[in-house]
Amino acid sequence: QVHLVESGGGLVQAGGSLRLSCVASGRTFTNYPMNWFRQAPGKEREFVAGISWSGSRTYYADSVKGRFTISRDNAKNTVYLQMNSLKPDDTAVYYCAAGQIAGPTSSYNYWGQGTQVTVSS
């Protein structure tokens, strides 16, 4: 059992930065790869970034590569998403999920409640 809670979203102007956090509870945290997904109004939930359980390997969607950085601190049971050079197209609810890197959204058993990121022009 893994419980996930996201935080750090907010309103920011284009070109600005935000840092999202996802705190996990449960004793299986270090056994799971972790992912960030996002969902904009009227769109499907899409993969943003993923990280192996050890933090040694990271993966990014092409749309965020070079702008976003995923990291984790297993001692704090936390995964982060540093978001730089934000664009209005990044506006979405951001979710963390535990499991296979970039898997189908329906395959994940553990999701957070999401945090809203709004980027103004």
Side-chain angles (χ1 to χ4, degrees):
Q1 177 71 24
V2 179
H3 181 64
L4 307 170
V5 179
E6 301 95 336
S7 64
L11 176 64
V12 65
Q13 287 187 292
S17 297
L18 287 172
R19 190 192 194 201
L20 307 183
S21 299
C22 174
V23 179
S25 61
R27 293 187 292 179
T28 61
F29 176 71
T30 58
N31 294 327
Y32 288 97
M34 295 295 297
N35 300 268
W36 287 96
F37 287 77
R38 67 187 182 187
Q39 188 167 21
K43 298 182 67 177
E44 295 294 316
R45 193 168 297 186
E46 65 176 355
F47 171 76
V48 176
I51 187 167
S52 63
W53 74 268
S54 68
S56 298
R57 300 182 298 279
T58 58
Y59 309 86
Y60 299 94
D62 288 342
S63 60
V64 307
K65 194 173 298 181
R67 299 188 297 120
F68 292 8
T69 303
I70 188 171
S71 61
R72 70 190 295 167
D73 185 340
N74 289 344
K76 298 180 179 179
N77 294 330
T78 302
V79 61
Y80 304 96
L81 186 67
Q82 178 66 45
M83 309 164 65
N84 297 328
S85 301
L86 283 162
K87 305 174 180 179
D89 286 348
D90 296 319
T91 296
V93 177
Y94 284 71
Y95 301 89
C96 58
Q100 176 187 4
I101 298 294
T105 57
S106 61
S107 72
Y108 292 94
N109 293 323
Y110 307 113
W111 291 93
Q113 296 300 306
T115 185
Q116 176 71 49
V117 172
T118 302
V119 184
S120 62
S121 60

